[in-house]
Amino acid sequence: MKPYKPPLDGRSAYDGMLLDFNERTKPPQNKVIRALEKFVRSQKLQVYPEYFDLEKKIADYAGVKADQIMITNGSDQGIDIIFRTFTEKGDKVIIPSPSFAMFYQCAQIVGNEIVSPLYKKDDLAFPLEEVLATIDERTKLVVVCNPNNPTGTAVSEADIEKIAKQAKGAIVYIDEAYFEFSKITAIPLINKYPNIIVTRTFSKAFGLASLRIGYVVAKAEYISEMLKIRGPYDVNMAAYYAACAALEDKKDMESYVKDVMESAKPLVEKFFAQNRIPYFISRSNFVLFRPNNPEKTMLLLEKNGALVRPQNKQTIENTLRVSIGTTKQMKKFIEIYKNDVLKNSKRRYAFLDRDGTLIFEPQDTYQVDSVKKLKILDGVIDGLQELKSRGYSLIMISNQDGLGTSSFPQENFRRPQEKMLKIFCDKGIVFDEVFVCPHLPNEPCNCRKPKTGLVEDFLRNANIDKTVSLVCGDRNSDQQFAENIGVSFVPMDTNGNFYKAIKSFLTKTI
Ligand SMILES: Cc1ncc(COP(=O)(O)O)c(C=O)c1O
């Protein structure tokens, strides 16, 4: 095993915004500071901890009884104790991936067999069906990180019930570190499904990450078992006083959460959408996004005042995770992004022919003029998704001979075209632009491929990275078009397999 070493590297001395660890981005309320000051001056630092009624205070906050709470040294300790109490070496545990590193770390400490169904590539939804299908009598623990770090996606209460029912012989462990942001909780389910255990933390919305305090919620008998593993003084008294003060007045936490979720996050999402930077919908105080060049973006953000966290795990390749802070801070983040990243970064484009490349081109009429004739070719969805996951923006460019004439009315083009775009859109694939030349081969126009008239304005503003941009098509005119705009050509057999063509190009060149 290797130690879990988050990329700290002197970040506490960084004087820009720390948007890389999903912390609260402003200090906790004054009451917490005053409680800590009082403790430091109390002449009690030399006395071992005693937690009085903290469990009761947390229980009231969480809506359970005091004997259903165990406080821990951060929720990290709760995770460790859960794995060590309820699993043994060789036991099967299900940890959907990608997720928070400590789950895998704790499972490895025990020596569990880890099974990791993958979050869905399109929208990073929880892989419910796979998890349900994977549960068997050897399964001792199922982890549901809700919302999940780093995807930001959440599982509904109803789906948690399905898992709890299916995994009767196992613990269903729900990590609710971000509960205050998502407001989704499985705690009310514990009465009905006693195999559910929940952890939460004071590290995030309450802002006490440095003090290390979290808690586990479970049925009382389980808490008694877990307390055999936790040390009697594992939570320190500074954390104790800070947590008590934080719970005494929740208004500060609530207004922070409101600012993050209802004002700051929508601003960042709007900015990403407007600038066609793909991002994933999140139920928490962080957003995963996929810029064209993640490494360069991260470095430029860092240099200019914001740290974000790179993510390169399977299904979330080439993404960055930004923690959402206050509205004021996120306005600053957007400014930095606009001025120091967007102005400096080139984008990679895939110019794609349509007929014979993305959809079946009939070899008799060469026209797809009805929805009936529309057939998406093999490998197109996978190929387009592959391009997207590599940061390509998609541009469709097609010659449609005689479009708008009586032999090929606009309407006959529009219907299959809209249907095709809808099929792509349902798979999360959106084209930035669609360019169509409607002229016949013998008409004098400057827009019919291989001529470049259709894209000239676009190319002027596109800030295109020609070293990796491409044209993919099945005709000589596509090849010549690629030469004319100065990018690589990816050849494709007419009505062939798009994924194969794209994949072989990407493996060779990038
Ligand atoms: C999903 C998840 N669980 C638990 C933790 C650990 O939190 P704590 O500071 O309470 O140990 C984190 C921290 O980033 C997290 O993202």
Side-chain angles (χ1 to χ4, degrees):
M1 279 185 67
K2 292 196 194 94
Y4 170 45
K5 268 184 146 174
L8 288 159
D9 302 332
R11 69 188 279 276
S12 59
Y14 181 74
D15 68 355
M17 294 183 288
L18 300 176
L19 305 179
D20 53 343
F21 273 61
N22 299 345
E23 295 150 336
R24 173 171 156 135
T25 57
K26 63 179 212 194
Q29 55 175 318
N30 281 335
K31 275 189 187 143
V32 168
I33 313 293
R34 283 200 297 273
L36 285 167
E37 283 169 352
K38 196 167 154 203
F39 166 59
V40 170
R41 296 207 178 89
S42 68
Q43 309 277 322
K44 292 284 167 60
L45 289 180
Q46 71 285 12
V47 177
Y48 277 106
E50 185 185 348
Y51 306 124
F52 305 101
D53 61 347
L54 179 57
E55 283 90 350
K56 170 82 174 69
K57 286 183 177 141
I58 294 175
D60 288 346
Y61 173 62
V64 292
K65 298 207 181 79
D67 61 2
Q68 290 186 269
I69 299 289
M70 172 174 75
I71 56 169
T72 53
N73 192 277
S75 51
D76 279 352
Q77 189 190 25
I79 301 172
D80 180 39
I81 292 178
I82 291 168
F83 274 86
R84 288 203 280 142
T85 308
F86 297 101
T87 71
E88 289 182 10
K89 190 170 175 167
D91 282 347
K92 175 168 155 183
V93 300
I94 301 175
I95 312 176
S97 284
S99 197
F100 180 52
M102 282 302 284
F103 304 138
Y104 308 91
Q105 194 76 6
C106 295
Q108 283 182 63
I109 292 169
V110 180
N112 296 147
E113 175 194 327
I114 303 171
V115 182
S116 289
L118 292 176
Y119 275 75
K120 304 264 163 65
K121 206 169 168 76
D122 287 357
D123 55 358
L124 301 182
F126 181 81
L128 180 67
E129 302 308 323
E130 292 88 329
V131 167
L132 292 175
T134 311
I135 294 168
D136 59 20
E137 65 289 348
R138 286 184 47 241
T139 308
K140 289 289 149 41
L141 194 124
V142 183
V143 177
V144 180
C145 190
N146 209 25
N148 185 39
N149 174 14
T151 60
T153 41
V155 185
S156 68
E157 212 177 293
D159 287 348
I160 290 174
E161 270 199 84
K162 285 185 195 153
I163 299 169
K165 267 189 214 159
Q166 179 96 351
K168 280 207 187 72
I171 296 295
V172 177
Y173 159 45
I174 321 288
D175 181 317
E176 294 184 1
Y178 301 95
F179 158 71
E180 281 77 13
F181 298 101
S182 75
K183 307 209 162 54
I184 307 168
T185 181
I187 288 179
L189 290 175
I190 293 177
N191 282 339
K192 201 163 159 201
Y193 303 96
N195 56 334
I196 290 180
I197 298 183
V198 173
T199 57
R200 288 194 190 158
T201 184
F202 284 90
S203 294
K204 304 297 177 184
F206 287 107
L208 306 184
S210 67
L211 294 169
R212 314 303 302 130
I213 177 162
Y215 55 96
V216 182
V217 189
K219 73 168 178 174
E221 290 80 354
Y222 284 169
I223 294 291
S224 307
E225 290 306 306
M226 287 185 272
L227 281 169
K228 294 175 186 170
I229 293 187
R230 196 205 66 186
Y233 315 122
D234 284 353
V235 175
N236 68 73
M237 284 308 275
Y240 165 84
Y241 282 111
C244 287
L247 284 177
E248 235 163 63
D249 186 351
K250 293 187 287 294
K251 280 200 289 297
D252 169 78
M253 177 276 285
E254 285 159 358
S255 81
Y256 177 74
V257 168
K258 195 167 159 46
D259 186 32
V260 168
M261 299 302 280
E262 293 176 26
S263 166
K265 190 153 69 119
L267 273 185
V268 173
E269 289 172 332
K270 190 169 158 207
F271 166 74
F272 285 152
Q274 279 172 345
N275 290 283
R276 294 184 176 144
I277 301 163
Y279 69 94
F280 294 93
I281 300 289
S282 158
R283 295 295 304 259
S284 196
N285 64 329
F286 51 88
V287 173
L288 204 61
F289 62 104
R290 186 173 270 136
N292 284 331
N293 188 336
E295 204 168 323
K296 189 169 166 205
T297 303
M298 186 183 76
L299 292 175
L300 285 170
L301 288 171
E302 178 175 345
K303 191 167 149 230
N304 292 287
L307 291 186
V308 296
R309 186 85 167 256
Q311 302 286 333
N312 226 341
K313 301 169 191 131
Q314 200 179 355
T315 75
I316 54 165
E317 296 88 353
N318 303 315
T319 57
L320 298 175
R321 189 193 67 195
V322 58
S323 308
I324 306 295
T326 62
T327 301
K328 196 169 159 207
Q329 289 166 330
M330 298 327 282
K331 280 185 177 162
K332 194 163 165 206
F333 169 79
I334 291 169
E335 278 313 298
I336 297 172
Y337 208 119
K338 265 194 211 153
N339 296 330
D340 301 301
V341 180
L342 291 185
K343 284 200 185 132
N344 279 317
S345 52
K346 289 189 180 296
R347 298 178 66 172
R348 48 182 70 178
Y349 289 98
F351 295 86
L352 307 172
D353 173 45
R354 192 188 84 145
D355 302 10
T357 302
L358 301 177
I359 59 176
F360 182 79
E361 176 169 18
Q363 293 300 291
D364 44 3
T365 59
Y366 299 107
Q367 272 178 357
V368 180
D369 51 11
S370 69
V371 170
K372 228 167 70 197
K373 285 194 195 159
L374 176 72
K375 180 176 175 290
I376 310 282
L377 289 170
D378 286 347
V380 164
I381 301 292
D382 286 346
L384 294 175
Q385 274 168 349
E386 183 69 26
L387 284 169
K388 269 193 56 184
S389 76
R390 306 259 192 154
Y392 278 87
S393 302
L394 307 177
I395 311 291
M396 194 179 293
I397 175 145
S398 174
N399 292 344
Q400 294 291 324
D401 299 1
L403 176 60
T405 60
S406 58
S407 64
F408 191 9
Q410 286 286 356
E411 192 61 7
N412 293 6
F413 172 77
R414 190 182 60 78
R415 289 217 182 100
Q417 174 76 2
E418 280 178 1
K419 177 87 198 282
M420 174 191 64
L421 292 177
K422 165 98 177 47
I423 294 171
F424 292 156
C425 187
D426 289 346
K427 296 279 176 192
I429 300 160
V430 178
F431 278 77
D432 274 24
E433 300 284 348
V434 175
F435 294 111
V436 177
C437 165
H439 304 111
L440 288 163
N442 55 2
E443 280 180 81
C445 73
N446 74 344
C447 57
R448 188 181 170 81
K449 282 185 291 187
K451 291 186 188 138
T452 57
L454 274 180
V455 292
E456 264 157 24
D457 277 352
F458 172 80
L459 286 176
R460 246 191 303 282
N461 301 317
N463 205 7
I464 179 173
D465 180 351
K466 292 197 175 176
T467 61
V468 284
S469 291
L470 61 93
V471 171
C472 177
D474 63 316
R475 294 188 183 242
N476 280 341
S477 54
D478 295 309
Q479 181 163 11
Q480 274 176 38
F481 174 72
E483 279 166 27
N484 292 346
I485 63 169
V487 303
S488 305
F489 178 61
V490 180
M492 160 94 190
D493 293 336
T494 301
N495 300 330
N497 188 308
F498 179 73
Y499 180 76
K500 274 194 197 148
I502 287 293
K503 188 77 189 174
S504 94
F505 171 81
L506 292 175
T507 1
K508 261 187 271 159
T509 46
I510 300 175

